[in-house]
Amino acid sequence: MFTMINFQKELNSEQLKVVEQGEGPCLVLAGAGSGKTRTITYRVAYLLEQGVKPENILLVTFTNKAAKEMIERVKKIIGNDLKLPWSGTFHHIGYRILKKYAEVLGYKNNFSVLDADDSLELIKLCLKAEGIDRKEKRFPSAKVLQTIISFARNAEMSLEEVLELKYENFLAISDILVRLVEDYHKRKQEANVMDFDDLLVNLYLLFLKNPVIKNKYAEQFQYILVDEYQDTNKIQASIIELLATKHKNLLVVGDDAQSIYSFRAADINNILEFSTLGEFTLNRKGKYPNAKIFKLETNYRSTPNILNVANCVIANNRKQYEKKLKSVVKEFAKPEIYSFADQAEEADFIVNQIFELQAEGVNLNNIAILFRAAYQSQALEMELTKQGINYDYRGGIRFFERAHIKDVLSYLRIFNNLEDDISWRRILNLQIGIGPVTVEKIIRMIKTFSGEEKNKEKVREEKINSTSLMTMLKNFSYLERNFENIKTQLSAKAQIGWNDFLQVYFEIKEIIESEEKCSIGDLIRVLIKSKYKEYLENEYLDYRERIQDLEQLALFADQTEDLSQFLAEATLQENFQQIDKEEISAEDLENKIILSTIHQAKGLEWEAVFVIGLTSGQFPNDRAIREQGLEEERRLFYVAITRAKKYLYLTYALTGGFFVQSSAILGGAGFLQEPSMFIDEIDKDLIFDNSFKEGNVFFDDEEIEYITDDNSPFDPGSFLKRISDL
């Protein structure tokens, strides 16, 4: 027996329409904070109350956690411990069906599922079988190959198409990669195993190969509900389409304005082309031309002031369903925009604003700082650490703990201290053909050559008396005289790696000797362009983001010519972060600022949100525009805005970018950066604008007016000239 539910009382009018009228193909456009989970669960409860059997309902979510949460909510609503047997992720559903019918595809029904680590090991075996020795030459890592394969399968693209779209640097070896992929799939079949992607691809193939099986499940699932439909990929949408062929009671819930995962093969066209009804008419085919469209536009999260800004921004997208979020929350202060001279000033402002928010009663764990890319957090992390503010970095590793940051610092540390065994080990282990045994052999030789007391004392004395880069180079030079001696004692494989290291060394040496004034940042930029870049490209799919991290590190290093001082500051940051993790109390764990990329923040909310780094080239991101398009970048900005409940701050630094050549006027900090086009898209009546467009900006705590004619646009050249005259 079910508890009789008063749906009119529990739901608003928009939600109620979905629950009571959701027959046939239906698209529910659920705006941010509009109660989509509530709507789905009450729709399930309504179907059960109408006599639909639980086994005839298919509820598909993107995480098992979401599925469990919805089931628990349904239980509470209906007052019954009734199970919903067909609820879960696409992969979960695929596994259940394939366990029964795997033999149709040439597998045994007792097949195993490879986790990510097992899949990697199998790919490594394929590499070995192909005769590829990554110790002899650079080649995409198993992890990189795994991601490329996965994207191709989920996007229903060929390997060559994926390489052309996203990984042009591997196009020259596409024939080898194709063979590797074929071998990988063959080995899985022979071992009677499937990876996670197989659970989707093979389910789809099963339905195509055996219509009887497809019809069985299409008949069983009288009602199909899919959550977060804007995040589905082509293969997932195809599976759902096949399952809905009989009853056509397909209700998909999502928000095209929050489609931000195309880099994971999510396809916004699944939701845009679901129906041809509504205001959106950009040459859509429409899988279900007459599908009903419901809009959930009542927002229970944010103030009207924040939603006005969000609506204003997203209105600039052409490929979207028109909707306008309406708040039920009271009016509050307008969102605020601030510009700063550099990222250090931006970070200082944010920290001071955090203290003010605390004074107003906002807990630290209800404050989030969001950014487009991970590298943008560096200055902020340093300032938070200095001020003793605990923070939780979501979806990634803190800046100075990232592997590539540690790699580059290790290169610099051996220049500063030739006897730094730990840094030598890290550097040498990166080189082709140099394994652990050879690493120790090289280190012993370095110690032998440095063991001459005369040279040893000389090095020590010079280190004490000077910390200039030229002196550091001089201290390293005696080892240089023994480079060839070391090389002759190495194997042919190891000599390749040693030569790569020497190439990096001589490139660094050249810039130190050729530049009158060379900063530590210049050395880091040499490393970014050296053999180390090739290592990153082959080892990491996100190598571009890692290079951006290093460019940010270079900007930080531009502040000093003293290598020892720079390394000390970097080390202090590492240690501070370790201490922070080790010594925080249980209470502190619950009271930490959240730092997160916007992608990781989707689905979450905070009372106060800072969106930082809003400059052209960074947000919207130039590379992302080329790969995913401008509209996805704007949707990402929309997602960031709609995370805020009460306070919203939009900030950017006028200098400090690395998308243009360094500026001599600003001491290497970079030319004046233009504010993001997204800021210009916001109606100025909707925000409190304290940016340079109001007539001032702050450099070194001094107010400087920029030079423009009364009615002319802002001229960066004039502004920079004014700065140079100071």
Side-chain angles (χ1 to χ4, degrees):
M1 289 293 292
F2 298 144
T3 301
M4 294 303 295
I5 307 163
N6 188 338
F7 291 98
Q8 290 79 10
K9 181 181 177 182
E10 298 295 331
L11 303 167
N12 66 33
S13 59
E14 296 167 345
Q15 297 165 341
L16 185 62
K17 283 182 182 177
V18 176
V19 169
E20 294 184 340
Q21 301 175 28
E23 300 288 317
C26 297
L27 171 61
V28 181
L29 298 169
S34 63
K36 73 173 177 68
T37 301
R38 185 177 186 84
T39 305
I40 295 171
T41 53
Y42 271 89
R43 173 63 182 167
V44 172
Y46 178 83
L47 292 174
L48 293 171
E49 191 179 79
Q50 297 298 307
V52 179
K53 295 179 179 179
E55 60 268 26
N56 296 136
I57 299 173
L58 174 63
L59 173 61
V60 187
T61 61
F62 266 78
T63 66
N64 288 316
K65 182 181 177 183
K68 289 178 183 177
E69 182 186 344
M70 287 190 187
I71 293 169
E72 289 303 315
R73 288 197 187 189
V74 172
K75 287 179 181 178
K76 283 185 180 180
I77 294 168
I78 65 176
N80 191 299
D81 199 29
L82 194 71
K83 296 185 184 299
L84 207 63
W86 288 94
S87 61
T89 65
F90 281 94
H91 296 87
H92 173 75
I93 303 300
Y95 176 77
R96 286 191 60 183
I97 296 175
L98 288 169
K99 267 297 190 181
K100 278 190 170 184
Y101 302 105
E103 291 179 348
V104 176
L105 301 175
Y107 290 83
K108 296 177 182 176
N109 288 343
N110 65 339
F111 68 86
S112 303
V113 179
L114 296 177
D115 62 19
D117 291 337
D118 292 333
S119 172
L120 279 176
E121 290 304 313
L122 186 56
I123 291 173
K124 288 176 183 177
L125 283 177
C126 297
L127 286 167
K128 188 176 181 180
E130 183 67 27
I132 296 167
D133 188 350
R134 297 190 72 240
K135 293 180 180 179
E136 290 186 7
K137 62 179 180 179
R138 295 290 182 210
F139 196 84
S141 68
K143 181 67 176 176
V144 169
L145 288 178
Q146 184 185 48
T147 305
I148 293 173
I149 295 168
S150 180
F151 187 94
R153 304 194 80 195
N154 286 288
E156 294 184 344
M157 296 172 67
S158 70
L159 192 74
E160 293 90 340
E161 289 173 329
V162 175
L163 295 179
E164 287 179 8
L165 177 67
K166 297 171 69 71
Y167 312 107
E168 319 86 41
N169 49 316
F170 298 139
L171 274 171
I173 56 171
S174 61
D175 56 336
I176 301 174
L177 296 180
V178 169
R179 286 202 304 272
L180 283 166
V181 173
E182 290 173 350
D183 187 32
Y184 173 63
H185 293 318
K186 182 182 176 184
R187 287 172 181 266
K188 285 188 295 178
Q189 184 108 28
E190 290 174 348
N192 194 38
V193 297
M194 298 187 193
D195 61 23
F196 285 120
D197 295 324
D198 288 325
L199 298 178
L200 301 182
V201 174
N202 286 341
L203 179 63
Y204 182 56
L205 291 175
L206 174 68
F207 289 162
L208 292 182
K209 191 171 183 177
N210 196 311
V212 174
I213 297 173
K214 185 266 292 183
N215 291 336
K216 173 180 180 292
Y217 287 101
E219 178 70 38
Q220 178 179 339
F221 300 137
Q222 298 175 15
Y223 291 89
I224 301 173
L225 300 91
V226 185
D227 191 20
E228 302 288 4
Y229 194 69
Q230 80 281 346
D231 295 333
T232 54
N233 56 45
K234 283 186 178 295
I235 198 83
Q236 289 167 333
S238 297
I239 290 168
I240 292 299
E241 188 176 357
L242 290 174
L243 288 173
T245 51
K246 173 66 176 178
H247 301 287
K248 295 188 173 22
N249 287 319
L250 172 60
L251 187 142
V252 300
V253 183
D255 184 5
D256 56 293
Q258 297 188 74
S259 179
I260 58 174
Y261 295 121
S262 63
F263 66 93
R264 296 180 186 169
D267 191 344
I268 192 175
N269 289 315
N270 290 341
I271 193 169
L272 293 181
E273 296 179 357
F274 189 85
S275 173
T276 56
L277 298 179
E279 303 88 345
F280 174 52
T281 57
L282 290 179
N283 299 317
R284 291 179 297 158
K285 301 176 185 176
K287 287 185 178 179
Y288 304 94
N290 297 315
K292 301 174 190 173
I293 297 179
F294 300 93
K295 295 181 183 181
L296 305 183
E297 297 175 300
T298 303
N299 179 282
Y300 295 89
R301 176 187 299 157
S302 307
T303 66
N305 315 77
I306 292 171
L307 294 185
N308 288 339
V309 172
N311 289 330
C312 185
V313 168
I314 202 63
N316 290 277
N317 273 6
R318 292 181 66 243
K319 295 178 68 175
Q320 66 168 325
Y321 293 98
E322 292 183 15
K323 53 190 169 299
K324 191 171 183 178
L325 295 180
K326 305 179 292 290
S327 177
V328 297
V329 181
K330 291 182 181 179
E331 289 273 350
F332 193 67
K334 291 180 179 179
E336 302 176 19
I337 297 177
Y338 291 89
S339 62
F340 304 94
D342 53 35
Q343 292 171 330
E345 282 194 6
E346 182 181 33
D348 183 64
F349 165 80
I350 291 171
V351 168
N352 287 326
Q353 202 63 36
I354 288 169
F355 288 136
E356 288 191 21
L357 288 168
Q358 280 187 291
E360 293 180 29
V362 182
N363 291 331
L364 288 180
N365 59 6
N366 225 336
I367 303 172
I369 304 166
L370 308 182
F371 30 85
R372 174 63 181 83
Y375 67 83
Q376 294 173 308
S377 72
Q378 182 257 329
L380 191 58
E381 288 188 61
M382 292 185 68
E383 189 61 27
L384 289 169
T385 301
K386 274 191 231 174
Q387 298 296 333
I389 300 175
N390 292 326
Y391 66 91
D392 185 13
Y393 197 104
R394 296 285 176 84
I397 302 171
R398 297 182 180 205
F399 188 84
F400 284 96
E401 295 173 5
R402 296 167 195 167
H404 47 293
I405 299 295
K406 287 178 172 288
D407 290 346
V408 167
L409 290 177
S410 291
Y411 271 104
L412 298 179
R413 281 175 177 137
I414 64 168
F415 277 91
N416 183 59
N417 177 13
L418 193 60
E419 289 83 24
D420 187 342
D421 293 1
I422 296 171
S423 293
W424 271 112
R425 285 188 181 91
R426 188 174 189 100
I427 293 166
L428 293 171
N429 274 309
L430 299 175
Q431 313 307 320
I432 294 173
I434 297 181
V437 174
T438 306
V439 167
E440 297 305 318
K441 182 179 180 179
I442 293 172
I443 289 174
R444 284 197 299 272
M445 285 190 280
I446 292 170
K447 285 183 176 181
T448 299
F449 295 130
S450 65
E452 303 170 14
E453 287 301 316
K454 186 178 178 180
N455 285 339
K456 198 173 186 181
E457 292 301 317
K458 185 178 179 182
V459 169
R460 286 175 178 172
E461 185 180 343
E462 288 177 342
K463 283 182 180 177
I464 293 171
N465 294 332
S466 176
T467 57
S468 72
L469 289 178
M470 286 301 295
T471 301
M472 299 296 177
L473 198 62
K474 187 178 179 182
N475 293 337
F476 207 92
S477 63
Y478 82 92
L479 181 62
E480 184 180 326
R481 295 192 292 271
N482 291 283
F483 281 165
E484 194 61 31
N485 290 337
I486 294 174
K487 182 179 176 180
T488 58
Q489 298 184 53
L490 301 178
S491 68
K493 286 183 182 180
Q495 286 183 21
I496 298 171
W498 183 246
N499 284 334
D500 285 349
F501 166 74
L502 295 185
Q503 183 177 332
V504 174
Y505 166 76
F506 284 115
E507 287 173 358
I508 289 176
K509 180 182 178 181
E510 182 181 359
I511 194 169
I512 292 175
E513 292 178 338
S514 63
E515 298 285 337
E516 285 187 21
K517 189 177 181 181
C518 179
S519 73
I520 311 303
D522 293 327
L523 303 190
I524 295 172
R525 292 181 185 96
V526 170
L527 285 165
I528 294 172
K529 297 177 182 177
S530 71
K531 281 284 185 178
Y532 183 67
K533 180 184 179 185
E534 185 181 330
Y535 164 79
L536 291 177
E537 288 176 348
N538 289 284
E539 205 66 29
Y540 303 107
L541 271 172
D542 62 344
Y543 73 90
R544 295 184 182 90
E545 286 77 9
R546 292 172 187 265
I547 289 172
Q548 288 177 328
D549 279 351
L550 295 175
E551 288 169 331
Q552 188 64 41
L553 182 68
L555 287 173
F556 170 55
D558 279 331
Q559 302 169 32
T560 180
E561 297 174 36
D562 188 325
L563 181 57
S564 295
Q565 180 185 337
F566 167 72
L567 291 172
E569 289 182 12
T571 302
L572 284 172
Q573 287 299 314
E574 288 182 87
N575 289 341
F576 274 135
Q577 292 180 354
Q578 289 298 327
I579 291 168
D580 174 51
K581 288 194 293 186
E582 292 170 4
E583 296 186 358
I584 53 178
S585 66
E587 183 180 347
D588 290 334
L589 279 169
E590 297 178 358
N591 199 26
K592 298 169 76 174
I593 293 285
I594 304 300
L595 269 62
S596 174
T597 62
I598 301 168
H599 284 101
Q600 290 291 330
K602 184 177 175 292
L604 304 175
E605 60 184 42
W606 295 273
E607 192 166 347
V609 170
F610 296 83
V611 185
I612 69 172
L614 285 164
T615 58
S616 180
Q618 298 188 51
F619 197 10
N621 181 275
D622 284 342
R623 181 176 58 82
I625 290 174
R626 291 193 298 272
E627 291 187 3
Q628 285 101 40
L630 175 61
E631 294 205 351
E632 180 156 331
E633 285 292 282
R634 188 177 285 111
R635 293 194 295 270
L636 192 61
F637 185 44
Y638 174 85
V639 167
I641 293 170
T642 53
R643 298 312 93 197
K645 297 167 71 174
K646 193 173 182 181
Y647 303 86
L648 176 64
Y649 305 92
L650 309 176
T651 71
Y652 61 96
L654 290 167
T655 62
F658 42 76
F659 294 92
V660 292
Q661 188 178 3
S662 293
S663 166
I665 295 174
L666 297 176
F671 277 124
L672 182 71
Q673 300 182 111
E674 295 182 6
S676 168
M677 62 181 294
F678 296 153
I679 289 178
D680 291 333
E681 292 176 353
I682 301 172
D683 187 333
K684 296 305 175 282
D685 291 335
L686 302 177
I687 54 174
F688 172 69
D689 192 348
N690 195 43
S691 66
F692 71 84
K693 291 188 175 183
E694 292 293 314
N696 62 73
V697 63
F698 299 92
F699 277 81
D700 297 327
D701 299 323
E702 294 185 38
E703 188 172 334
I704 302 172
E705 293 185 1
Y706 57 78
I707 301 171
T708 63
D709 297 329
D710 290 341
N711 297 314
S712 66
F714 178 71
D715 181 4
S718 296
F719 186 51
L720 290 173
K721 182 178 183 303
R722 175 73 180 96
I723 296 171
S724 66
D725 291 339
L726 296 175

